Amino acid sequence: MDENLTITIGDVEQFSIVDFPNKIAAVAFLQGCPWRCPFCYNTSLQKIGAQPESDWTFEKFIAFLKKRRNVLDGVVFSGGEPLVHDGLYQAISVVKGLGYAVGLHTGGYRPEALSKVLPLLDWVGFDIKAPLEKERYKQITGGMADVQKVKESLALLIQSGVDFECRTTCDPRMLSKEDIYLIAETLQKAGVKKYFIQKYRPVPTDKSTTDSMCADLVEDEKLRAYLKKSFEVFEVRK
Ligand code: SF4
């Protein structure tokens, strides 16, 4: 293994049927994310450069994948934000070399890193956090995101021809129904074909958001009909 290969794995899901469409996949959650979304369930993965809580190294992950070729057919690099890692291209190359299809979960934080890995990818799950406007993106990511870079990443993804979906976590503290309409309109105009909205599950620190507030955002009949009409594939994930 190349000793310059620098990715830090925070944790691994060894068997997943929900993270990579039509694939039975292992998911490597990479350590580090520059954003601070209030609905984040992976806060332990946020700190860039932190020592992971698990003992998964890349070498251990590859050894695991070599043994699971008869069970798994895909590998997803998730996070955190995988595009933080300069070693991502090399890591994906090694995994592809084992015969696995490779997927990526990203918010599009670094378009230059995305363009490098896109030719190797089989699928991308692209998070759209908010309407694609400067202040809204900053607000939802704790002041950290540059929406121009997100837009650039999305454009690269669309141009690449790689299969992908966009998805939005519908946190009622941050998004309204009007925001979802706005996001959908932008994505549809850009040429996005698959869009999913995900019901927010309150994080442990959120004591005030009720289930009915979360449900209200994703179960609105008029909104759902609009989204169904706007995309070839649309679903609500609960
Ligand atoms: S981009 Fe993902 S990992 Fe990063 S803070 Fe937001 S939800 Fe958490």
Side-chain angles (χ1 to χ4, degrees), residues 161-180:
V162 173
D163 186 26
F164 75 100
E165 68 178 37
C166 288
R167 62 274 188 94
T168 300
T169 300
C170 298
D171 180 345
R173 298 171 302 169
M174 309 303 293
L175 296 177
S176 65
K177 285 175 199 166
E178 289 66 36
D179 289 329
I180 312 290

Side-chain angles (χ1 to χ4, degrees), residues 33 35-37 39-42 46 79-81 127 129:
C33 178
W35 295 353
R36 294 294 177 266
C37 313
F39 47 81
C40 184
Y41 260 90
N42 291 335
Q46 287 176 343
E81 169 52 77
D127 288 335
K129 305 287 183 188

Side-chain angles (χ1 to χ4, degrees), residues 107-232:
Y109 141 81
R110 212 154 61 113
E112 56 281 14
L114 181 63
S115 85
K116 196 172 165 196
V117 298
L118 266 174
L120 296 177
L121 295 174
D122 298 283
W123 175 81
V124 176
F126 194 96
D127 288 335
I128 300 291
K129 305 287 183 188
L132 287 135
E133 295 164 0
K134 186 176 171 189
E135 287 314 316
R136 296 303 307 280
Y137 244 78
K138 275 214 175 302
Q139 183 197 25
I140 210 161
T141 57
M144 303 308 287
D146 177 347
V147 78
Q148 276 314 117
K149 289 189 183 279
V150 175
K151 286 183 182 174
E152 217 179 296
S153 290
L154 182 62
L156 285 167
L157 182 55
I158 293 167
Q159 281 159 21
S160 73
V162 173
D163 186 26
F164 75 100
E165 68 178 37
C166 288
R167 62 274 188 94
T168 300
T169 300
C170 298
D171 180 345
R173 298 171 302 169
M174 309 303 293
L175 296 177
S176 65
K177 285 175 199 166
E178 289 66 36
D179 289 329
I180 312 290
Y181 278 107
L182 205 54
I183 292 170
E185 197 187 348
T186 309
L187 296 183
Q188 197 259 345
K189 278 188 188 151
V192 172
K193 307 284 183 222
K194 300 177 188 175
Y195 184 50
F196 296 81
I197 56 174
Q198 299 174 162
K199 186 180 170 190
Y200 165 65
R201 286 178 297 122
V203 292
T205 50
D206 177 5
K207 306 289 182 208
S208 54
T209 307
T210 62
D211 187 62
S212 74
M213 288 159 77
C214 301
D216 183 51
L217 207 45
V218 296
E219 284 173 8
D220 184 273
E221 288 302 329
K222 214 171 135 201
L223 175 60
R224 284 164 78 139
Y226 175 79
L227 296 172
K228 223 175 166 56
K229 195 174 66 174
S230 302
F231 300 96
E232 283 176 17

